[in-house]
C-alpha cells in the first residue's frame, strides 16, 4: 500500500522546523547504514545523538499520532524515533530495501513493516529528489508538499533521485504494525474508510454496527501483539 497522508504538519510547524534544520550540524548519512547501503547513499543526516533530532522527532510523532489516516493505514504498534536527512549538490540514495529489524532506543527491536517519509521542503524549492518506489505495478514517483507524508511497505525497493538544485529536507521513520501483512492492512483501511463515509452519509445504524463488528473481528484475527 502506497498512501499519501496530507497535512501532517501545518505551515507554521514546517517553517519552524526548517529554520532549525537549516542551521543544524549535519553528518554523513553513510554513518547510519551498513557496507552495502553506504555504497549507494550520498546524503546528510542529523547525528543520532543530536538533541535537535530528539526534539523535532517528538513533534513529528505527536503530529502523526493525531492524524487519523496515519493511524488507520499503519495501525502502529511500535515506531522508531524519526531521523532527518538532507539532499543537495547531487546528493542521492540509490536503489535499496530498508533493514528488516531495527534497534529501538530502549534496547528492544522493531520489525520494519511500514516506511514513512515526511517532506519538509516545498517541491519548487529543489530539482530532482523524487522518491521512487517500486511495487508490482511499476515505479511510483513521489514529491510532496512540505508537511505531507508518504507511507509504503518497508519491503519495497526504492531510491531518491539526485538533487541538482536547492536542498531536499525530510523526516523519515519506520513502524511495526499490529498487522504484519500489507494486503491485510489495505483491506482494513478500505473497510474503515467505507464505514466512515457511510456514517457521514447517515447510513442504516444496524448495518454500520455490523460492518464495524466485521472490521474489529478481522483486526482481532490478524493483529499481532
Amino acid at each position: 500500500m502506497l498512501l499519501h497522508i496530507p497535512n501532517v504538519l501545518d505551515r507554521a510547524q514546517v517553517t519552524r522546523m526548517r529554520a532549525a534544520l537549516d542551521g543544524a550540524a549535519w553528518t554523513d548519512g553513510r554513518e547510519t547504514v551498513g557496507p552495502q547501503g553506504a555504497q549507494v547513499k550520498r546524503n546528510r543526516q542529523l547525528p543520532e545523538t543530536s538533541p535537535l533530532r530528539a526534539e523535532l522527532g517528538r513533534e513529528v510523532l505527536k503530529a502523526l499520532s493525531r492524524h487519523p489516516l496515519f493511524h488507520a493505514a499503519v495501525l502502529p504498534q511500535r515506531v522508531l524515533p524519526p531521523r532527518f536527512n538532507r539532499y543537495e549538490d547531487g546528493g542521492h540514495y540509490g536503489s535499496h530495501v530498508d533493514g528488516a529489524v531495527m534497534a529501538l532506543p530502549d534496547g528492544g527491536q522493531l520489525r520494519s513493516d511500514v516506511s514513512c517519509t515526511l517532506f519538509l521542503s516545498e517541491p519548487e524549492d529543489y530539482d530532482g529528489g523524487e522518491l521512487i518506489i517500486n511495487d508490482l505495478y511499476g515505479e511510483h514517483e513521489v514529491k510532496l508538499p512540505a508537511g505531507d507524508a508518504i507511507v509504503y511497505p518497508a519491503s519495497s525497493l526504492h531510491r531518491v533521485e539526485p538533487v541538482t538544485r536547492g536542498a531536499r529536507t525530510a523526516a523519515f521513520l519506520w513502524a511495526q504494525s499490529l498487522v504484519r501483512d500489507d494486503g491485510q492492512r489495505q483491506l482494513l483501511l478500505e473497510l474503515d474508510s467505507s464505514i466512515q463515509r457511510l456514517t457521514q452519509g447517515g447510513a442504516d445504524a444496524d448495518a454500520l454496527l455490523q460492518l464495524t463488528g466485521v472490521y474489529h473481528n478481522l483486526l482481532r484475527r490478524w493483529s499481532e501483539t
Side-chain angles (χ1 to χ4, degrees):
M1 174 172 53
L2 181 69
L3 184 66
H4 173 193
I5 302 182
N7 304 316
V8 174
L9 300 176
D10 61 30
R11 184 173 296 276
Q13 289 174 301
V14 170
T15 300
R16 188 172 62 253
M17 282 194 185
R18 281 289 307 278
L21 291 168
D22 285 346
W26 297 85
T27 190
D28 192 328
R30 288 174 289 186
E31 295 178 5
T32 62
V33 295
Q36 185 173 2
Q39 296 179 29
V40 296
K41 186 176 185 180
R42 297 293 183 272
N43 69 1
R44 296 193 291 163
Q45 290 184 199
L46 286 188
E48 296 294 287
T49 57
S50 166
L52 180 61
R53 177 202 166 195
E55 176 189 344
L56 298 184
R58 286 191 294 269
E59 186 171 354
V60 168
L61 287 179
K62 185 176 181 180
L64 287 171
S65 71
R66 292 194 302 260
H67 204 296
L69 183 55
F70 177 82
H71 181 80
V74 177
L75 297 170
Q77 183 179 31
R78 299 185 185 90
V79 179
L80 195 70
R83 295 171 176 168
F84 296 83
N85 60 20
R86 187 177 181 91
Y87 293 83
E88 56 189 335
D89 299 325
H92 63 279
Y93 198 164
S95 295
H96 63 284
V97 174
D98 295 329
V101 178
M102 301 182 181
L104 291 166
D106 62 7
Q109 293 183 317
L110 170 146
R111 184 188 66 242
S112 61
D113 297 322
V114 180
S115 297
C116 174
T117 296
L118 172 62
F119 289 78
L120 298 173
S121 299
E122 296 293 354
E124 61 269 20
D125 290 343
Y126 60 98
D127 292 335
E130 296 85 359
L131 173 63
I132 309 295
I133 302 168
N134 289 266
D135 64 15
L136 293 174
Y137 303 101
E139 289 191 344
H140 306 275
E141 182 179 296
V142 183
K143 190 172 183 178
L144 300 179
D148 288 12
I150 189 78
V151 295
Y152 58 98
S155 57
S156 302
L157 185 69
H158 58 284
R159 68 183 188 272
V160 177
E161 295 287 80
V163 172
T164 57
R165 178 188 64 87
R168 173 196 189 270
T169 305
F172 61 104
L173 57 91
W174 295 273
Q176 178 172 324
S177 177
L178 286 167
V179 177
R180 180 195 298 247
D181 183 81
D182 180 61
Q184 292 173 344
R185 286 197 306 274
Q186 182 163 353
L187 287 173
L188 287 168
L189 175 61
E190 291 173 358
L191 181 55
D192 182 51
S193 299
S194 296
I195 291 170
Q196 299 304 320
R197 289 196 299 272
L198 289 169
T199 300
Q200 293 168 6
D204 179 77
D206 289 338
L208 282 171
L209 181 62
Q210 186 176 30
L211 278 177
T212 302
V214 170
Y215 173 88
H216 285 286
N217 285 329
L218 286 174
L219 179 58
R220 183 177 292 110
R221 178 183 292 267
W222 291 337
S223 64
E224 303 174 2
T225 59

